[in-house]
Amino acid sequence: KGLALFFYIFGGWFARDGHGGTSGANFITVTVICMLLLAADFWVVKNITGRLLVGLRWWNKVEGDSTTWIFESAGDNRPINKFDSSVFWTVLYVTPAVWIALLVIGILKFNLGWLIIVVMALALSFANVYGYYKCSSDQKAKFQQMMAQGAQAGAMTVIRSNMLGWLTGSSAVHQQTQGQQQSTYV
């Protein structure tokens, strides 16, 4: 992950020609190096670190014209180190966020040629996030709990603001109806 990010961020320096522009051959070299590093990272995360650190693995099985996705968990019989697990999940979730930020920066700077690397990184990162999310019932439960807490907090904020507004006479609905009444008299 780190090497792919390094080559993406600093690859422009290596791809420069003598006139300050980007050399086609150097750009292709940096792009190929980044793609190979991203593919290696995807394979290592999918086939090694997920299995060793959190006891999860996923793959697809192709038989003729049909494809079957298989998601496996080691279960409770294998102890999982809490530190290893938290590092794995944190890095797994932060990686797409970093690449999304680089996508936005690339679009704003109009470096559209470099976005092929970012799109590939996002596709591979999200594939791993999705695969491991489907494997882990613990992560599903945490995600559902987080979503429920967020919905509950949002609902409570709306109820509080509406209730306080009603009590003080400054609710958004009250202000809107007053604004409409005033505009009809003008």
Side-chain angles (χ1 to χ4, degrees), residues 7-8 11-12 14-17 21-35 111-117:
F7 273 100
Y8 175 76
F14 302 119
R16 298 255 187 254
D17 60 8
T22 302
S23 168
N26 292 341
F27 170 76
I28 291 171
T29 303
V30 170
T31 302
V32 168
I33 289 171
C34 284
M35 295 290 186
N111 288 339
L112 303 180
W114 291 94
L115 292 183
I116 189 169
I117 298 169

Side-chain angles (χ1 to χ4, degrees), residues 171-185:
S171 71
V173 173
H174 181 69
Q175 289 174 355
Q176 285 177 350
T177 56
Q178 280 185 341
Q180 289 173 353
Q181 290 172 354
Q182 289 174 356
S183 65
T184 58
Y185 296 124

